[in-house]
C-alpha cells in the first residue's frame, strides 16, 4: 500500500526548500525528498541578486550571517574593452554548498520532513515513484532544478556546456573584492567573483563545438587565460579536483499552463540566462509563490499562469541580451553603448530582474 502524505516536494534546492519553509509557516508541513545525501557543490555563479537576498530574508535565512561576500559592482569585458557600473541593488556572493544546506536545515527546523538520499524516478496521478517506495501526495511540487525527472523532460537547450571551478589567488581576490566580472569571448562567456573562504568562483558557459575542438578542461582554461580579464587565473590555484559541468541548459524555457496538476518550481518552470544572475531569485520566489497559492487552495494551473506573468518579461529580455552578447559585433557595440550611456548597465540589470511577489508593488508588471 502506498504511503499517504501531505504535499510532496521533489528536490531540496532553493525552490524546493523555499516552498517547504513557507508551507510549514502556513501550517501545511510537507515531505521533501532530496536525492543527494549530503551538502554538495553545485554548478552556479553564486551571485545572489538583491531579490534573492530579500527572498531569503523573508524565509528567515540571513545570507550575510552565513558568510556571504558583498558584491557592489559589475564589470563587463570583451577582449580589451570594458564597461563597469555600481549595481543598482545590494548583491551577495555565497557558495551553494553553504546556502542550500542552510535552507534545507531551516526547512527541517520549521517542520518539514526532509528525507535525503531519496531520488524520485517518476511522477504520475498524484503518486511519486521513489528509491524508497511509492508515495501518494495531496500535491506534487517538482523542484528538481537542472535535472529532469523521467517522463517529464524540458526542451533541450543549445549545444553549450557550463563549467564551474573554485580558485585561490590572494592578489586577484583583492582586485575583485566586491565585484562580479563577466567576460564575453568567442564561443562563450564567464563570470568571476569572490565567494566566502577567500575563494574565487569561475563559472562559464561555452559552445559545445568550441569545447570539443579544444578537447579538455586544461585546454579550455589555457584558452580562457588569453582573455585579458581572466589572465590572472593562470597563476591561481584550482581548488576542486575537476570542474563541475552541465550541458544543454534550456535557457529561455518558460512553462506554460500544464494540465498534469504538477506544481513546477525554479528551473523546472523558468530558466533565465545565467549571466543575469537571477535564476536563484526566480527559484526562491517560485517556491514562495507556490506555497502561498497552494495554502490558499489555488490550482497548479493558476499558479503556473501567475508565475509565467512574473517571469516572461525578464526571461525574454535576458534572451535578447544573450543573443546580442553571443555575437562578436553585438557585444562590442553593447559595451560601447553601455559605457556611453550613464546608468545603462544598471538599467539592463534592473530590466532582467524578476518581479518580487512579496513587494508591495512589482517593478515589472506582468506581461
Ligand atoms: C552555469 C550556471 C551559472 C549560474 N549562475 C547563477 C548565478 O550566479 N546567480 C543566480 O541567481 N543563478 C545562477 N544560475 C541559475 C541557478 O543556479 C538556478 O536557477 C537555481 O539553482 C535553480 O534552483 P532550483 O531549486 O530550481 O534547482 P537546483 O538548485 O538545481 O536544485 C534542485 C535539487 O533537486 C535535487 N534533485 C534533482 N533531481 C531529483 C530527483 N529525481 N529526486 C530528488 N531530488 C532531486 C537536486 O539534487 C538538487 O538539490 C546559474 C545556472 C547555471 C547553469
Amino acid at each position: 500500500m502506498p504511503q499517504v502524505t501531505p504535499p510532496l516536494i521533489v528536490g531540496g534546492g532553493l525552490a524546493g526548500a523555499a516552498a517547504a519553509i513557507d508551507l510549514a509557516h502556513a501550517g501545511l508541513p510537507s515531505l521533501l525528498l532530496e536525492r543527494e545525501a549530503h551538502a554538495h557543490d553545485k554548478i552556479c555563479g553564486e551571485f545572489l541578486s538583491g531579490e534573492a537576498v530579500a527572498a531569503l530574508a523573508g524565509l528567515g535565512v540571513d545570507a550575510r550571517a552565513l558568510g556571504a561576500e558583498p558584491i557592489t559592482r559589475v564589470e563587463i569585458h570583451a577582449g580589451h574593452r570594458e564597461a563597469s557600473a555600481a549595481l543598482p541593488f545590494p548583491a551577495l556572493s555565497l557558495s551553494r554548498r553553504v546556502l542550500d544546506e542552510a535552507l534545507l536545515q531551516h526547512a527541517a527546523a520549521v517542520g518539514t520532513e526532509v528525507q535525503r538520499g531519496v531520488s524520485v524516478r517518476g511522477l504520475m496521478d498524484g503518486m511519486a515513484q521513489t528509491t524508497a517506495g511509492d508515495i501518494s501526495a495531496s500535491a506534487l511540487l517538482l523542484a528538481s532544478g537542472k535535472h529532469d525527472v523521467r517522463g517529464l523532460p524540458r526542451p533541450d537547450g543549445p549545444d553549450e556546456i557550463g563549467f564551474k571551478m573554485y580558485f585561490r589567488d590572494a592578489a586577484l581576490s583583492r582586485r575583485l573584492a566586491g565585484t562580479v566580472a563577466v567576460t564575453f569571448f568567442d564561443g562563450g562567456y564567464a563570470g568571476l567573483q569572490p565567494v566566502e573562504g577567500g575563494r574565487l568562483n569561475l563559472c562559464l558557459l561555452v559552445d559545445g563545438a568550441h569545447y570539443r575542438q579544444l578537447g579538455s578542461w586544461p585546454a579550455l582554461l589555457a584558452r580562457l587565460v588569453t582573455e585579458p580579464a581572466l589572465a590572472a587565473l593562470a597563476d591561481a590555484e584550482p581548488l576542486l579536483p575537476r570542474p563541475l559541468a552541465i550541458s544543454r541548459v534550456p535557457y529561455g524555457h518558460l512553462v506554460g499552463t500544464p494540465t498534469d496538476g504538477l506544481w513546477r518550481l525554479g528551473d523546472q518552470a523558468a530558466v533565465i540566462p545565467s549571466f543575469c544572475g537571477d535564476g536563484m531569485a526566480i527559484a526562491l520566489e517560485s517556491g514562495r509563490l507556490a506555497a502561498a497559492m497552494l495554502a490558499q487552495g489555488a490550482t497548479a494551473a493558476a499558479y503556473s499562469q501567475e508565475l509565467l506573468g512574473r517571469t516572461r518579461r525578464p526571461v525574454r529580455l535576458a534572451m535578447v541580451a544573450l543573443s546580442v552578447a553571443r555575437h562578436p559585433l553585438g557585444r562590442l557595440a553593447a559595451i560601447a553603448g553601455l559605457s556611453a550611456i550613464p546608468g545603462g548597465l544598471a538599467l539592463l540589470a534592473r530590466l532582467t530582474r524578476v518581479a518580487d511577489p512579496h513587494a508591495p508593488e512589482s517593478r515589472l508588471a506582468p506581461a
Side-chain angles (χ1 to χ4, degrees):
M1 279 288 286
Q3 250 173 285
V4 178
T5 73
L8 184 143
I9 301 174
V10 181
L14 302 183
I21 292 166
D22 274 358
L23 279 173
H25 284 150
L28 210 61
S30 54
L31 169 64
L32 183 153
L33 306 179
E34 165 55 45
R35 69 178 189 173
E36 300 286 343
H38 306 287
H40 56 285
D41 289 318
K42 282 188 172 172
I43 186 153
C44 185
E46 301 180 332
F47 173 87
L48 275 169
S49 66
E51 289 78 5
V53 175
L56 286 169
L59 290 163
V61 173
D62 180 354
R64 284 178 191 82
L66 294 170
E69 297 274 338
I71 301 287
T72 55
R73 278 183 73 247
V74 55
E75 289 177 2
I76 309 275
H77 300 266
H80 289 280
R81 288 169 203 258
E82 177 187 337
S84 67
L87 281 172
F89 45 77
L92 295 175
S93 169
L94 181 65
S95 69
R96 293 293 300 272
R97 177 185 280 267
V98 168
L99 177 61
D100 288 40
E101 188 60 19
L103 268 180
L104 259 192
Q105 286 189 7
H106 188 48
V110 295
T112 309
E113 183 184 345
V114 177
Q115 289 186 13
R116 302 179 75 152
V118 179
S119 189
V120 172
R121 294 184 162 155
L123 294 170
M124 212 187 291
D125 302 330
M127 183 88 80
Q129 292 89 45
T130 84
T131 47
D134 287 356
I135 302 173
S136 85
S138 56
L140 290 171
L141 285 74
L142 180 58
S144 58
K146 299 163 182 78
H147 310 277
D148 292 339
V149 167
R150 201 165 51 208
L152 297 165
R154 292 168 302 163
D156 241 3
D159 178 19
E160 288 171 335
I161 309 173
F163 291 98
K164 166 180 163 177
M165 173 57 91
Y166 289 123
F167 290 91
R168 195 180 303 284
D169 184 284
L172 189 55
S173 287
R174 274 195 299 279
R175 190 192 92 56
L176 286 180
T179 302
V180 54
V182 182
T183 301
F184 290 96
F185 54 90
D186 286 341
Y189 61 90
L192 184 64
Q193 67 176 32
V195 283
E196 83 277 5
R199 297 170 297 167
L200 292 153
N201 175 346
L202 175 74
C203 194
L204 60 122
L205 210 75
V206 61
D207 178 65
H210 189 62
Y211 178 71
R212 286 187 290 275
Q213 208 176 5
L214 291 164
S216 67
W217 166 250
L220 174 58
L221 195 54
R223 159 72 187 86
L224 290 174
V225 299
T226 64
E227 295 295 322
L230 299 174
L233 284 177
D235 301 321
E237 177 197 358
L239 297 176
L240 300 174
R242 66 193 68 83
L244 303 178
I246 189 170
S247 62
R248 294 199 176 274
V249 178
Y251 291 120
H253 168 63
L254 284 166
V255 77
T257 309
T259 51
D260 56 11
L262 283 181
W263 298 68
R264 286 174 173 78
L265 277 48
D267 277 4
Q268 285 292 315
V271 186
I272 193 163
S274 329
F275 78 91
C276 294
D278 222 26
M280 289 195 272
I282 291 178
L284 291 163
E285 289 172 359
S286 68
R288 302 201 72 192
L289 180 67
M293 292 185 70
L294 183 56
Q296 285 161 11
T299 62
Y303 152 76
S304 297
Q305 272 302 103
E306 179 65 27
L307 184 66
L308 183 63
R310 291 167 191 241
T311 51
R312 184 165 35 203
R313 190 179 299 182
V315 169
R316 288 191 178 158
L317 266 168
M319 289 301 287
V320 172
L322 179 59
S323 62
V324 170
R326 273 187 177 131
H327 197 282
L329 286 178
R331 55 182 176 252
L332 290 184
I335 286 194
L338 289 168
S339 312
I341 306 165
L345 205 50
L347 178 67
L348 184 66
R350 262 194 203 291
L351 287 174
T352 52
R353 299 298 101 189
V354 68
D356 176 0
H358 300 274
E361 65 181 56
S362 291
R363 276 160 294 158
L364 294 173

